[in-house]
Amino acid sequence: MTRSAPVSPRPAPRSSPARPSPGLAEGLAVHPSVFVLLALTALAVAPLTAPGYFMLAHDARHTVYFMQMFDAALRAGALYPRWAADMVFGYGYPVWLILAPLPYYLAEAFHLTGLDFPSSIKAVEAVAWFGSALGMYLFARRLLGREGALVAAVAYVFVPYHVVDLYVRGAMAEFLAFVFPPLILLALYDLAAGPGRARAFVLAAAAYAALILTHISMAVLFSPVLFGFILVLHRWSPAHREGAPEEPGYGSSIVIPFLALASGLALSAVFLLPVVLEQRYLTSEPLIGGFFDFRLHFLNPSQLVSPLWGYGYAGINGTDQFSLQLGIVPLALAAFALLSLRRHTAARVPLLYLTLVLVVAVLAMFAFTTPLWELAAPVIAFAQFPWRLLFVTATALAVLAGVVVGLLPASDRLPGALLLSLLVALAMFPYVRPQYSDARFTWSTMMDFQVKDRELLGDTVWTDARPLDSPLVAQYRAGAITTKAVVTSGAGTVELVERGPLGDTVRVEAATPVRLMFYTRYFPGWTASVDGAPVAIAPEGEQGLIGLDVPQGSHVVVTRWGTTLPRVLGALVSLVTAAALVLVVASHGRLPAVLRRGRS
Amino acid sequence: MSSAIRIERSLDNSGLALLRALSARLGLRVRVDRYAATLAALSAVALGPMLQPGYFWGAHDARHAVYFLFEFDRVLRDGILYPRWFADMTYGYGYPLFNIYGPLAFYIGEFLHLLGADFVLAVKLVFGLAWIASGLAMYGLMKRVFANRAAGLLAGLLFVLMPYHLVDVYVRAAFAESVALVFIPLTLWAFYDTVTVGNRRSVLFAAFSYAGMVFAHNGIALLFSIVLAAWILFLLLRDERASGTPLLSPGAIPRLFRRALPTLGGLVLGLGLTGIFMLPLVAEYRYINVAQWTASYYSYQDHFIELFQLFSPVWGFGISNQGPVDGLSFQLGLVATVLALFALAGALRHPDARRGVLLFFAGLTLVVIVLMLEFSLPVWQAFGLASVAQFPWRLLTLTTASLSVLGGAVLLYESNPDEGPAAARFTRDASALIPLYSRGVNPPSVGRRPARGLGASSLSVIVLSLLAILGSWPYITAQNILEAKEGPVSIAGLMRFENSANEMTGTTVYADEQPRWSPLADNYIAGKNVRSKIDYSTVPDWLFIRIPRDGLKSNGERVDYNAPNGDVPIVFNVQMYPGWSAYLTEARSTQIVRKLDITTEPPYGRIKVTLPQGEHGVWLRFEDTPPRTAGTALTVVSLLLALGLAFWPRVASRIRRSARPRMPAPTPPQVFR
């Protein structure tokens, strides 16, 4: 590639320590600040150890029911479940076509050890608390040293939106997503210091893929930050770049970090490709229309500093019933950070960049930026709420809050950081409480949730109207499904032989040729066979259910949730990428030579 | 460190200088303790919700406070200087509330009411004043014991903002208890003085603060007396050890006794001062129907707390329930707890006199925590602790104080930069943050040396104070209601309160059942002027009764009658209790002829008097019983003694001579080797 001669825009800093970037294990080596971090993070984890659950959190019940269906599909043999058979009153919905699966895989791992569904989810959330704390610690340590990293990591844990996401919104996936931004930033920072670092390359790819596979909206919102970070490090960070041991041939290639992110995209192809290619079969109105139109959810500036706390729902145009505060204490600390940026010679550019990110993300939450949003509306609309940018501000604000520690003389940094992290954590502690509840989750309560709360519903393009009920609801409540298909024309009887999350088997006694309709939504991927021979299926009725013709006589009709080309392709791309990354790690930590020739 | 001094000096040069100049003009010598003034100002953040209109009527005992004061005022206006009988309680049948309940908070409230505050405002003012005072008392204790004003400021602030303190006011509205909280540090301070100084001033201080605590809340006083005894014993033994003579040597016990004399003097004088309250309480408590307050909901076994609740951030305005889910917070105070751990870490590294005191409070905290857990049920049963504390979680009153002391003590271990590990150097962060200040705020100054003994630099105090405030900030809320559902504070409102809450409806042992309503209450609600408490349904047609103007008072009533047909029993709508006497008087006169026998009328234990035939008067009076008279005399004598002690130096010097000369306050290291 071509690039201009390496010009230092600023004089060489007075102290530009050739800071060797320690590896992950070394980064977590026992240090008092790590203990303090874990202890303070435990304050945030504590509510998860209480019995029961917090069902009143906005999305808490959805998560458990998704988990319940995910587990059923997995046990039925789907390695990558996409069809949630019990949604929409039992008609089913391909929810994991659009919902990233990683949180559910993780929860499933805990479930397999014997935990029930709510406890598995809480276990993932506990891991996510610690993971986000340690991830931020590792990243901030590069910029601020251990002591500053302690304050940054504690600020990241106790930034209000982080707490809100779990204990008020119950948004497990979004909450888990907090783990990954610091890790990606860390990997990109290391890559910029020496793009030959294979482990950093793999970390960048894996963490970016994990973010995508955890919550696509968050990945969409955070990706611009990553692109900007790469560009900024490449262009303006002479101290950083010159401090790194120049490795001949590829010292400052900008291709490598972007390639790492691209690998992350490829790694998540199993999810991304079907999202892109098959989402058109779903009506997107329920996701981005009506109440979920992003134009209705811009913030009133005062909300960013308001002390309001609550467990209510999102409102329209600033009437939200829960806190959307930036984090008063981290904000105050970050204000001091701005005064002291000069001291951070080595990390000044990334810190200035994060300041910019903070400012832009804050501004983008206000209504006057609507025209900008409209520009990217087709994609960004799936973020639903502009205040989800608090996810972005959390990262930037947390790092900036840690900068203040650099003001202290070296010998005082540890106690100072200790005190400041206490301030950050304990000022937030009173809010670290969900609305505790019992945890009763059965198939029957799931139907109640759908019928009464009108949740877990979704439509395909073959649906004419959202249903209010289905013939299956009563069967769910009775505890046994007995009728899964009916004859819509012709004369015959249908008897259910076997029912599962991935398809049903029925026996048809047809006096005449009949049209059979399954109580299952038609969707690409469904196949059917009569006596083992594949037959064509088509959407049937106003609900767009599976319809097929059965000839006269006694037949066994089987439906199966199969696959499609985008899904197969996606899985292949993911597998190949994963294998390549494993090879990279195995190849003594060096990138293949073909990649290293970036500069020539 | 020098920057700290600079900050102080710059403060000196601003508002305080103006104040000094003004007072100099007026010929006053004003000494302002800057730390105390700062503490008082910072404590005001706790009062925020009280500055809003309305009152937290929904808090547990919020209405009690207002209506107790309302009744207190009514009785006082009848000319009774020490009210015992509340005539309008129990739907007008009356109840001897202040024979068993400490009146201090209500005297203060009444004083403010007489100055013009309405009942609600007076109650809020007392809450507020007590709150500020409690912080200042804690400050005084810390300043006295540790000679460190910064630690005092922090401890005071922690005490004021401790979650349970906020619960006590805004959730429980425990009026008397919140006043009693002032006296916990105050009493510890006073008795520290009697042991370490032992002059007459300290004896007076101890006597009045102990008496004040009893008058504020006898339950807390009783509970706290156990702690106080341990505190005194600890201080005596500590100084005894410091003096170097073995404890078991001959003459040690008499010497110890001599040294304890000022302390004992303070205790005895203090108890004497409370005679007017305590003697009748002890003698006549058995005439109260206590079962009503200890049965069912009030059974203490159901109110132990789970360990996690001590650290839970959950907040609420509900009540204590059986099991782990309570409607209100029982948090120890996480900020204070964390700081206390650091202080103890510091204390363990510095074997000096401060360490003993801190270990005393740490031990106290631990014991109290254990006692609040269900695990300690056998201890409660064995020692009858429930009669003292009512509910296990009310012991949080004690940890509120002890953890404040420990938390504030984090500023004690600060000065030496060469001290080892991070934990001990914890608070030096402040001096470290100072460059940030000194560059912009303060001009560089040369040649000023930091004063010794100040403790911490100003900035660590600022950051730690911020920690104390922010850690409790979200809890500083009250459920303010503009208008009580009982309506304006009035006798009718009181009746509605008694009826809706079934509170202020206590009975004496003479009652067989608790009234649910009364004809008197009907009249009050209807806005009628009740001029007599005679139950007219018991009066025969031929009995003529004349009610004189102002015949009915809260402590009795007098009527004239004409009973031509013979002796006739009449019933007063007044609940029987020792002190009620009936007299036959001359007609239309207060001239007493003889005493009449009183019997009681079931089921409410109302007073029944048989009127002799003829034209006479009858006078029902609530009088002092022998315990009340003796108690009043004891208080008066004790007051005279106290006055004597204060103004008659020869008495004092005699006590001082009998005590050992004063111990030097800072004891040398290795006290406990």
Side-chain angles (χ1 to χ4, degrees), chain A residues 43 307 329 336 339 343 404 407-409 411-412 414-416 418-420 422-423 426-427 429-434 436, chain B residues 311-315 331 334-335 338-339 342 422 425-426 428-429 432-433 436 439 463-464 466-467 470-471 474-475:
Chain A
L43 291 179
V329 179
F336 283 108
L339 296 177
R343 295 206 169 192
V404 72
L407 286 174
L408 311 182
S411 63
D412 291 321
L414 185 58
L418 187 54
L419 184 60
L420 291 176
L422 274 181
L423 191 66
L426 295 185
F429 179 68
Y431 296 124
V432 184
R433 46 178 155 135
Y436 293 102
Chain B
F311 306 99
S312 164
V314 169
W315 200 255
Q331 198 200 116
L334 199 66
V335 174
V338 169
L339 295 184
F342 282 110
R425 291 190 293 124
F426 169 53
R428 277 196 312 116
D429 60 284
L433 269 168
L436 187 142
R439 270 207 312 260
V463 177
L464 285 166
L466 208 58
L467 181 61
L470 288 178
Y475 300 140

Side-chain angles (χ1 to χ4, degrees), chain B residues 196-230:
Chain B
T196 56
V197 183
N199 57 9
R200 67 199 160 102
R201 207 176 127 180
S202 72
V203 171
L204 283 170
F205 182 19
F208 277 100
S209 61
Y210 189 68
M213 160 157 269
V214 173
F215 276 118
H217 196 294
N218 45 306
I220 299 278
L222 196 52
L223 176 68
F224 180 71
S225 293
I226 305 168
V227 177
L228 191 62

Side-chain angles (χ1 to χ4, degrees), chain B residues 460-503:
Chain B
S460 70
V461 182
I462 291 172
V463 177
L464 285 166
S465 303
L466 208 58
L467 181 61
I469 293 172
L470 288 178
S472 286
W473 184 262
Y475 300 140
I476 306 178
T477 58
Q479 295 181 317
N480 276 314
I481 298 171
L482 284 180
E483 183 82 24
K485 63 176 187 285
E486 286 82 15
V489 180
S490 64
I491 186 80
L494 173 58
M495 293 302 136
R496 282 191 280 266
F497 166 48
E498 290 177 18
N499 189 37
S500 65
N502 191 24
E503 294 282 357

Side-chain angles (χ1 to χ4, degrees), chain B residues 395-446:
Chain B
L395 296 180
L396 281 168
T397 317
L398 298 178
T399 59
T400 297
S402 63
L403 279 173
S404 302
V405 171
L406 290 169
V410 81
L411 280 168
L412 297 178
Y413 301 100
E414 180 263 341
S415 48
N416 183 1
D418 301 325
E419 277 161 16
R425 291 190 293 124
F426 169 53
T427 50
R428 277 196 312 116
D429 60 284
S431 53
L433 269 168
I434 276 178
L436 187 142
Y437 253 72
S438 55
R439 270 207 312 260
V441 179
N442 295 300
S445 73
V446 190

Side-chain angles (χ1 to χ4, degrees), chain A residues 301-319:
Chain A
S302 69
Q303 287 180 282
L304 291 176
V305 289
S306 163
L308 173 135
W309 199 260
Y311 295 89
Y313 286 95
I316 284 172
N317 295 331
T319 57

